[in-house]
Amino acid sequence: GTRIGGALGEFNRSYARRGYARGAIVLVVSDGWDRGDPNVLAEEVRRLQLQSRRLIWINPRPMEVDKQPLAIGMRAAMPFVDEFVPGHDPRAIAGMASLIAGLNNQRPYRKIYTGADQRG
């Protein structure tokens, strides 16, 4: 398993803080299967989303695996993902170019999360 929250935290501390994600269209390719704390993952995805113009998550697994819902890490990240692309669907991947080309310079409407919104 991976530690997606830790990896995104390292990116946020090393690169996003320097402005590399500011105004960027950020693509995360992951199935959301994370061995770390889901709250850490949610916080790091939230921080990355704040820096980016658009946060797109490509998940190579179907929405459900063997009738089971998305991985815990994926569920933790979803409130902070602007666009979710099912990566197991070739049509969805092929549509990525159109999706990105159709984005304007505006950020999408994003709910403002407060400490009261934290998952337990």
Side-chain angles (χ1 to χ4, degrees), residues 38-40 42-43 46 80 113-120:
N39 291 320
V40 170
E43 176 60 20
R46 184 191 70 80
F80 310 106
Y113 288 89
T114 65
D117 296 323
Q118 295 279 330
R119 286 163 293 289

Side-chain angles (χ1 to χ4, degrees), residues 39-87:
N39 291 320
V40 170
L41 175 59
E43 176 60 20
E44 295 303 338
V45 173
R46 184 191 70 80
R47 288 178 60 207
L48 184 57
Q49 183 198 42
L50 288 173
Q51 290 288 319
S52 66
R53 183 172 97 201
R54 187 74 61 129
L55 180 62
I56 301 172
W57 193 295
I58 303 169
N59 187 326
R61 293 185 182 261
M63 290 293 286
E64 292 184 351
V65 179
D66 296 329
K67 304 286 186 197
Q68 297 297 313
L70 289 171
I72 291 171
M74 191 73 249
R75 286 184 285 174
M78 284 299 286
F80 310 106
V81 172
D82 297 316
E83 304 286 340
F84 179 83
V85 177

Side-chain angles (χ1 to χ4, degrees), residues 5 7 14-15 18 30-31 59 94-95 97:
S14 299
Y15 300 101
R18 295 180 191 157
S30 173
D31 60 9
N59 187 326

